[in-house]
Amino acid sequence: MAPQDISKLIVRTSMKDRAAFDLLYRQTSAKLLGVCLRVLRDRGDAEEALQEVFVKIWTKADRFAVSDLSPISWLVAVARNHAIDRIRARRGPSADIDAALDVADPAPGPEAMAVAGGETERIHHCLDELEKDRAAAVRGAYLSGESYAELAERFKVPLNTMRTWLRRSLLKLRECLER
């Protein structure tokens, strides 16, 4: 069927001519089903969408402007847009972009990273001033997460002695860092 014939059918459909609409359906439904199927990727969905597309064509045919452009392009655009709308309707509502403002980034910012880098260097320097076993106990407790009991066992000292080592070592670290 020639493009001008399809244009005439669309114009007659806009005047609610059922015979023209029936002929338009028979002449274009296969192509429009293909468009819906390509977008939706499900035959059942595509067939439903096609029926809805033809309802739109019936109700909105008066919006078709006869021109030198292909009338099948207008029909394909109606079908494609409707199929895309069906896909969008399946998805849940997207989150409001303003909600992202409330999401805090747990990572430290660049300034905090720079300060932490300098502090790390100072802490390691101060740890080196401690006796080797005391420094190892502090690293084990506060960097590796070992318990006092595990440290006492590893260094073969009583638990209370380990507590004293750690408390005194932290005091020495604080003095060093305050210099």
Side-chain angles (χ1 to χ4, degrees):
M1 183 168 259
Q4 62 270 20
D5 295 332
I6 294 174
S7 290
K8 288 176 187 174
L9 291 175
I10 295 172
V11 170
R12 285 178 45 206
T13 298
S14 72
M15 294 183 274
K16 305 303 180 207
D17 181 340
R18 290 180 186 270
F21 182 69
D22 181 52
L23 186 56
L24 181 66
Y25 181 87
R26 283 189 275 128
Q27 294 296 321
T28 61
S29 62
K31 182 167 188 69
L32 299 184
L33 177 63
V35 170
C36 292
L37 193 55
R38 189 170 355 113
V39 173
L40 296 169
R41 296 190 177 124
D42 178 70
R43 182 147 189 106
D45 261 358
E47 289 171 354
E48 281 183 39
L50 180 67
Q51 296 307 311
E52 293 166 356
V53 164
F54 274 97
V55 169
K56 279 187 178 182
I57 292 169
W58 175 258
T59 59
K60 298 179 181 185
D62 57 334
R63 294 184 185 174
F64 173 71
V66 177
S67 65
D68 293 336
L69 299 175
S70 170
I72 198 73
S73 297
W74 182 76
L75 295 170
V76 166
V78 170
R80 182 178 173 278
N81 291 342
H82 182 74
I84 290 170
D85 288 344
R86 282 181 68 101
I87 289 173
R88 287 181 182 149
R90 283 187 215 151
R91 294 185 202 149
S94 59
D96 185 18
I97 191 69
D98 292 333
L101 295 174
D102 297 333
V103 177
D105 183 5
E111 182 182 0
M113 292 293 284
V115 169
E119 291 295 314
T120 301
E121 211 173 286
R122 287 183 54 214
I123 290 170
H124 285 294
H125 171 74
C126 291
L127 279 169
D128 290 341
E129 289 183 9
L130 297 174
E131 296 174 36
K132 287 192 185 266
D133 55 353
R134 305 308 196 265
V138 168
R139 284 186 176 100
Y142 301 108
L143 299 178
S144 301
E146 294 179 65
S147 70
Y148 290 179
E150 291 170 333
L151 290 169
E153 187 177 315
R154 179 163 55 125
F155 289 98
K156 297 180 181 16
V157 295
L159 181 60
N160 286 336
T161 301
M162 180 52 62
R163 287 187 179 127
T164 303
W165 279 15
L166 291 172
R167 186 173 44 80
R168 287 182 182 166
S169 296
L170 289 177
L171 290 172
K172 286 182 183 178
L173 282 175
R174 183 173 64 185
E175 287 173 13
C176 176
L177 289 171
E178 287 174 352
R179 283 188 245 146

